[in-house]
Amino acid sequence: STSTQTRGKPYYVTTPIFYVNAAPHIGHMYSMVLADVLKRWQNLKGNQALMLTGTDEHGIKVEQAAAKKDMHPKTFCDETAEQFKELAHAANINCDRFIRTTDQDHQLAVEHFWFLLQEKGLIYESKHQGWYSVSDECFYPESQLERRQDPFTGEVFMASSETKNKVEWVEEKNYHFRMTALKDRLLDFYRNNPEWVVPHARMNDVVDWVQNNLSDLSISRPIQRLSWGIRVPNDASQTIYVWVDALINYLTMAGFPNWTPGREYEGGWPADVHIIGKDIVRFHSVYWPALLLAVDLPLPKKVLTHAHWTMNGQKMSKSIGNVVNPLYAMNRWGVDTMRFYLMYVGGLARDADYSNEELVTKYKKLLQGGFGNLVGRLTRAKLWNLREVVATASSMDMSEVSLSTPIQDAIVNLENILLDLPSVVDQHMDQLNPVAAIREIVEAATATNAFLTSTAPWALVKTKDQNDLAVAQRSLFLAAESMRIAGILLQPYLPAKATKLLDILGVDPGKRSFSDAALYKDSSYGEPIVSPGTTLEDTLFPPLVEDLDIEFPASRA
Ligand code: ME8
């Protein structure tokens, strides 16, 4: 991948674009932070990287939500899109574009894509009848429906057995995409790329579905039923299906269709990874590759699917309303605390239940008790000066120092952890597992705390013995190295807190890239960098508001 990088293809990561039918919640922030971490990781390694997020504004669902508020759809979209933008900004998401499907260049990209499909003879017109879910914006085959009853009104209705959302019978004339023509190519692609969908277990469902359920896809709606969307080129009586419109956003960002022949990759396409929730796997792993194959465009390299945040075991959802407002949560707990909690506890394979109690526990134990405590021990001790420790210990002749066996073993043990840490973290990132990666970093901090407890440098410096002093400096230096390396590796996760950590340690801002995260590579630090507006007394992980006994309303929106 390094060679493609230098040839000019930036790394390119996307989130889903979010429906603007309601305000954002923690689940949306989770997708954003995952993408942001992957992008920042590439930057840390010196690679150019692009990240895209944005809003999905067309379709029946949004049209109805606007009507409910008696607003013009565009005015309604402007308002909610602003909230998602605010979320991206507040969560420190380093996106290169916030796309809206109402953007002019996107509309042109969608129209162009439609022409290409038509040119290939893959669009035909026919009568369509089936069960449509407005909430999911898709048709379901009879086999995937169940009869449900509204607990309040007693009304009996048909619903998707997967999402439990209501469906309605629809008969209309519309355009179809001859997706069945792509069946063999899709199955070949899956066979040749068995690791395409991450985690792997979700790939099986995809293959199974294509083998057993693939049919042609209805890709337009009569304007009587949907007018809020992009018109079918040359047929003003039809609106393009919102999912076709939405998926193409990933190409719009990459500059499609205004590409210089031979240099198409410059805009980032093909995407390195689409990050999506497990609820939209079929759209991204069946419809999307089918559409791309149809017009001979390269497919995204990976689809990273994540599980859901639940609230008391139930999926958090805009329609149900059991949501945590991320802006409120960040305000209360801090931006990086939230990013940490989401990344550490969130599930790629399995759902995770959101809980403020757990958040507070993790904060205290891992951030305050881990990194905060360690950095405090290293820098605020009245017993030593970190700069002096680093300078002395890094040039120490160890053959002159006598180490007890337990201390010797403890040093070797921690050294081995730190020698491996950068590459272990990098491998997890390569496998799109930032959860496993951050857990390794946290474990290194835990090991470092245990190391300091066992070597007890604070006791050694008091004995006035020269050898004891050397041993103390030696072990403090190793602990400082651990924090320097962890601080560098944490930057993609906790951009502000990791920067502060490295400032407190006095690590030169020019020495904070992935290649600097090597044991004993840097001996120039130790003098704290005090940035404007802060003082040395500011703790890295201060007590949470919860600890201060201030009354706050429940965190629900
Ligand atoms: O599906 N836990 O938009 P959407 C974790 N517009 N993540 C969650 C979540 C939860 N409880 N709820 C939502 C759409 N998400 C389409 C996508 S893409 C071309 C079009 C996240 O507003 C998750 O990433 O319903 C999910 O896939 C996305 O929000 C869906 O957001």
Side-chain angles (χ1 to χ4, degrees):
S1 79
T2 317
S3 64
T4 34
Q5 293 288 354
T6 50
R7 281 206 320 270
K9 151 96 173 78
Y11 184 91
Y12 177 28
V13 51
T14 68
T15 71
I17 47 172
F18 307 104
Y19 285 129
V20 288
N21 60 312
H25 63 67
I26 285 291
H28 307 120
M29 178 174 164
Y30 183 53
S31 297
M32 285 184 184
V33 175
L34 274 172
D36 188 53
V37 168
L38 292 183
K39 178 195 165 174
R40 288 177 187 267
W41 183 256
Q42 290 301 320
N43 288 158
L44 190 70
K45 294 186 71 187
N47 298 326
Q48 202 202 338
L50 297 171
M51 180 201 150
L52 176 66
T53 190
T55 42
D56 189 354
E57 308 192 353
H58 295 133
I60 302 175
K61 172 150 119 169
V62 171
E63 192 172 41
Q64 288 179 356
K68 235 187 198 166
K69 288 202 159 182
D70 223 356
M71 284 171 85
H72 184 275
K74 182 58 167 58
T75 322
F76 173 75
C77 289
D78 287 348
E79 251 179 34
T80 331
E82 204 47 51
Q83 295 181 37
F84 279 91
K85 246 185 215 174
E86 216 180 293
L87 168 62
H89 180 75
N92 208 349
I93 304 296
N94 192 0
C95 62
D96 295 85
R97 174 169 176 182
F98 186 98
I99 199 169
R100 300 180 55 184
T101 51
T102 45
D103 290 344
Q104 188 66 31
D105 62 340
H106 175 68
Q107 308 215 23
L108 293 174
V110 172
E111 285 165 11
H112 189 80
F113 198 97
W114 185 281
F115 278 123
L116 293 181
L117 281 179
Q118 223 163 22
E119 245 173 38
K120 299 278 179 188
L122 289 168
I123 294 183
Y124 65 92
E125 218 180 330
S126 87
K127 191 178 157 216
H128 194 91
Q129 48 185 26
W131 294 98
Y132 194 79
S133 159
V134 170
S135 182
D136 301 335
E137 291 279 20
C138 72
F139 280 104
Y140 284 105
E142 200 98 34
S143 62
Q144 288 172 25
L145 299 178
E146 64 187 33
R147 198 175 291 276
R148 293 178 66 79
Q149 184 166 30
D150 188 305
F152 300 110
T153 64
E155 179 207 0
V156 175
F157 59 92
M158 297 301 285
S160 154
S161 30
E162 188 188 338
T163 64
K164 311 295 179 206
N165 285 325
K166 185 175 182 172
V167 295
E168 55 196 75
W169 182 253
V170 169
E171 285 184 37
E172 62 193 22
K173 189 205 84 170
N174 49 30
Y175 290 99
H176 285 71
F177 165 46
R178 207 179 292 285
M179 193 154 61
T180 48
L182 280 308
K183 183 169 179 173
D184 291 344
R185 287 180 68 190
L186 278 175
L187 290 172
D188 273 352
F189 174 75
Y190 301 147
R191 209 169 299 121
N192 296 329
N193 299 277
E195 309 295 322
W196 188 55
V197 175
V198 181
H200 181 71
R202 295 205 177 96
M203 185 84 192
N204 300 335
D205 301 338
V206 171
V207 177
D208 193 67
W209 197 86
V210 170
Q211 252 153 3
N212 301 313
N213 292 308
L214 194 75
S215 58
D216 288 349
L217 184 66
S218 159
I219 53 169
S220 74
R221 306 281 177 265
I223 54 167
Q224 294 80 0
R225 208 158 74 79
L226 169 66
S227 78
W228 178 236
I230 302 173
R231 291 280 174 276
V232 167
N234 301 323
D235 183 351
S237 74
Q238 294 269 325
T239 306
I240 296 176
Y241 172 40
V242 63
W243 265 104
V244 171
D245 170 350
L247 288 163
I248 293 168
N249 92 88
Y250 303 132
L251 284 173
T252 306
M253 157 73 165
F256 171 86
N258 306 308
W259 283 334
T260 312
R263 289 165 51 178
E264 294 86 347
Y265 55 83
E266 281 176 349
W269 196 258
D272 288 79
V273 50
H274 289 319
I275 292 172
I276 59 167
K278 65 179 181 180
D279 50 324
I280 52 176
V281 173
R282 188 185 312 143
F283 300 97
H284 284 82
S285 310
V286 181
Y287 302 174
W288 186 222
L291 286 163
L292 291 166
L293 286 171
V295 300
D296 299 319
L297 286 175
L299 305 192
K301 295 182 192 167
K302 295 272 177 189
V303 179
L304 174 58
T305 67
H306 62 75
H308 285 145
W309 284 93
T310 58
M311 194 77 165
N312 304 318
Q314 193 184 23
K315 185 196 169 196
M316 220 181 259
S317 123
K318 287 180 288 203
S319 340
I320 304 173
N322 60 338
V323 298
V324 174
N325 178 338
L327 292 173
Y328 182 84
M330 282 188 279
N331 231 343
R332 182 175 185 188
W333 306 122
V335 177
D336 280 352
T337 306
M338 285 307 297
R339 289 176 62 113
F340 177 80
Y341 176 69
L342 294 182
M343 286 301 101
Y344 193 87
V345 174
L348 294 177
R350 258 166 303 159
D351 288 355
D353 208 53
Y354 183 92
S355 130
N356 281 332
E357 293 74 52
E358 188 187 17
L359 183 149
V360 170
T361 311
K362 290 276 185 287
Y363 180 89
K364 286 184 180 165
K365 180 161 174 236
L366 305 175
L367 294 180
Q368 273 187 320
F371 303 99
N373 176 42
L374 276 163
V375 168
R377 275 176 162 183
L378 289 170
T379 55
R380 268 196 311 270
K382 301 209 170 63
L383 303 168
W384 54 74
N385 169 291
L386 184 62
R387 176 68 208 125
E388 214 177 283
V389 165
V390 172
T392 314
S394 59
S395 57
M396 200 176 269
D397 180 356
M398 285 310 290
S399 64
E400 315 250 293
V401 183
S402 105
L403 292 172
S404 70
T405 310
I407 289 191
Q408 174 73 28
D409 289 350
I411 288 177
V412 171
N413 177 50
L414 186 56
E415 277 183 342
N416 285 336
I417 291 174
L418 296 177
L419 283 169
D420 286 345
L421 186 64
S423 64
V424 169
V425 169
D426 191 36
Q427 276 164 30
H428 285 309
M429 288 298 201
D430 250 12
Q431 288 160 15
L432 301 178
N433 197 343
V435 184
I438 196 171
R439 288 182 177 229
E440 295 286 347
I441 305 172
V442 168
E443 263 173 42
T446 308
T448 307
N449 254 330
F451 169 79
L452 278 187
T453 303
S454 73
T455 56
W458 41 85
L460 293 175
V461 293
K462 284 184 190 151
T463 66
K464 310 277 180 237
D465 174 278
Q466 277 313 302
N467 193 68
D468 281 353
L469 178 63
V471 175
Q473 288 172 324
R474 178 73 190 83
S475 64
L476 286 167
F477 179 44
L478 182 55
E481 276 297 276
S482 167
M483 283 303 95
R484 184 182 67 82
I485 293 168
I488 290 173
L489 300 177
L490 274 179
Q491 292 174 100
Y493 294 92
L494 316 177
K497 289 297 184 181
T499 299
K500 175 144 191 191
L501 186 158
L502 294 169
D503 283 352
I504 295 173
L505 286 187
V507 177
D508 183 336
K511 294 179 180 169
R512 297 180 181 184
S513 75
F514 181 73
S515 61
D516 296 306
L519 188 60
Y520 304 138
K521 176 146 187 209
D522 186 357
S523 55
S524 68
Y525 63 101
E527 195 65 60
I529 301 167
V530 185
S531 46
T534 62
T535 72
L536 270 182
E537 275 61 50
D538 287 345
T539 14
L540 188 54
F541 295 107
L544 290 174
V545 175
E546 179 246 20
D547 303 3
L548 300 177
D549 248 11
I550 293 174
E551 272 302 315
F552 262 82
S555 76
R556 285 154 178 247

